[in-house]
Every structure is written in C-alpha cells, then in structure tokens.
Amino acid sequence: DAKTTQPPSMDCAEGRAANLPCNHSTISGNEYVYWYRQIHSQGPQYIIHGLKNNETNEMASLIITEDRKSSTLILPHATLRDTAVYYCIVPNAGGTSYGKLTFGQGTILTVHP
Amino acid sequence: EAGVVQSPRYKIIEKKQPVAFWCNPISGHNTLYWYLQNLGQGPELLIRYENEEAVDDSQLPKDRFSAERLKGVDSTLKIQPAELGDSAVYLCASSLDNGREQYFGPGTRLTVT
C-alpha cells in the first residue's frame, strides 16, 4: 500500500468544519484514497473514497489535490458524535493484495462543545 | 439490514486455554476478513476469505491460530493455546467481491490473564 501520513491528533469545535489532512506522496495513478473512522469501542466505518475528483456524500467531502499527493477529509459541521480516529488508506490497485486495507495509526479527532 | 454480527463481545480467559470467536457477515457478502487490533493501533489483517477459500492468510500465526468459513457464510477464528500477548480486539468485516468498502462488526475484546 502507498504510505500515508496523518497528524496524530486534531481538535475541532462543535458546529465548525473539521479538515483532516493526509499525505500520500507515493500514490500511483490508479490507486484510490479511502477514509475510514473508528468511534471508541466500535469497528471501523467506511466514510468515502476517491481517485482524482472531489467527492461528497452524506457523511463528508473528500478533496484530492491535482497532483494526488495529498487529500483532505472535510466534515462540514462536526458534532460530538464525530469524535473518533480517522484513517486515510491507499490500498494496492491490483495483484494479490487487491482489497487489502492497511490501517496506520490515524488521526484522533476530538470535537469539543 | 443487519450489520456484521460478532460474538462474544468480551472474553476473559487464562493463558494456555483455547478460545473461539464467531462472525456472521452481511447477507450476500462473499468476502470475509478477520483483523486484530492492539491497543492504540490500527487494525491488522489476519485472514481474508473469498467464499469458503482462505485467499490471504499470510499474517495468521498458524502455530496457534486457525480459522474456518464453512459454507461460505459464518466464520470462526480460534486460538489454541492463548498467550498473554493475544489480548486485543478481534474484528470481523465483510464486503462484496473483495471490495475496499468493508463493513466491520463491533469486535470481540479478548483478555488473557
């Protein structure tokens, strides 16, 4: 998997946008960027993924830079329930490792009242 | 729609004892994964099944760990004998056709004393 780098922790005020960065400078042209989160005592939860275009769903937006070396996950109006560990993952595009998710340590996002 | 079901949620055993974890994936998901998560770390893949076949078990410590997925639905992960270092959360996930959108269960927290 392409190596990803995330800040270990971030804070955000409730109701404000949370912008979580991820560096993936060794990403290949056909590799996607995936984001998962893990709320305390729960299993990881898929959030969003993208290749080169910006993506948005009911949970979040994903902004990928033009050179694809970094991305930002945006939670537009963070709530206390968004407090979690956020993982940025770039899985291998093919071969025997296709589909394998390699989780790093992620970013601990704490949303404050 | 029911999510991934795991049982038990918690298990405390003495070292050298056997232990088994059970997982029922989302209906129709042919790919099933077992992950290990140590405290403060991201999940690590132990084994991946496509239907009944274990297609990636390279990270499974085969001297003490075993897994099966009979009939390509439910799966069981076993440890025999358990060691103190096996204390961790064991997560089960499922997906369609080895997709990167994986759905995780709540995990089983194992404590070996």
Side-chain angles (χ1 to χ4, degrees):
Chain A
D1 290 4
K3 180 178 174 59
T4 61
T5 305
Q6 298 177 254
S9 63
M10 295 183 65
D11 290 336
C12 178
E14 188 177 22
R16 304 298 293 268
N19 298 291
L20 293 97
C22 179
N23 287 321
H24 31 78
S25 58
T26 61
I27 193 169
S28 298
N30 58 349
E31 290 179 330
Y32 284 74
V33 180
Y34 277 73
W35 284 83
Y36 278 74
R37 75 178 182 182
Q38 188 171 21
I39 295 169
H40 183 63
S41 295
Q42 297 183 21
Q45 177 190 24
Y46 164 80
I47 301 173
I48 198 168
H49 73 279
L51 182 63
K52 58 178 70 174
N53 297 320
N54 298 338
E55 302 288 345
T56 296
N57 63 19
E58 65 278 5
M59 291 183 67
S61 294
L62 175 60
I63 308 297
I64 303 174
T65 58
E66 191 168 345
D67 64 6
R68 300 205 334 114
K69 293 182 185 295
S70 65
S71 60
T72 301
L73 180 74
I74 300 172
L75 308 178
H77 306 286
T79 71
L80 299 179
R81 289 191 297 264
D82 292 322
T83 293
V85 180
Y86 287 77
Y87 297 100
C88 170
I89 303 169
V90 178
N92 287 340
T96 57
S97 296
Y98 180 87
K100 179 178 179 179
L101 299 179
T102 300
F103 291 82
Q105 295 197 301
T107 296
I108 300 172
L109 175 68
T110 303
V111 181
H112 297 284
Chain B
E1 177 182 300
V4 176
V5 180
Q6 291 188 248
S7 70
R9 288 296 313 276
Y10 305 91
K11 188 74 175 180
I12 302 173
I13 60 171
E14 294 183 346
K15 63 181 180 182
K16 301 185 181 179
Q17 295 301 305
V19 65
F21 314 123
W22 175 80
C23 174
N24 177 244
I26 290 174
S27 178
H29 280 190
N30 57 330
T31 308
L32 183 145
Y33 314 78
W34 283 102
Y35 288 84
L36 163 71
Q37 186 169 25
N38 288 305
L39 188 64
Q41 305 295 317
E44 302 170 39
L45 181 68
L46 287 173
I47 189 168
R48 171 168 64 94
Y49 282 93
E50 289 183 15
N51 301 304
E52 301 89 353
E53 183 181 359
V55 295
D56 183 358
D57 63 355
S58 57
Q59 302 303 311
L60 189 72
K62 299 180 183 64
D63 57 335
R64 297 184 301 107
F65 287 64
S66 64
E68 61 182 10
R69 191 183 184 199
L70 300 177
K71 301 181 181 179
V73 180
D74 295 358
S75 178
T76 302
L77 178 68
K78 299 178 181 178
I79 308 175
Q80 183 170 11
E83 297 179 351
L84 295 176
D86 297 331
S87 295
V89 175
Y90 292 83
L91 293 158
C92 179
S94 69
S95 72
L96 272 174
D97 298 327
N98 195 22
R100 273 78 68 88
E101 291 180 42
Q102 297 179 16
Y103 295 82
F104 285 77
T108 296
R109 181 175 297 277
L110 174 66
T111 301
V112 182
T113 63

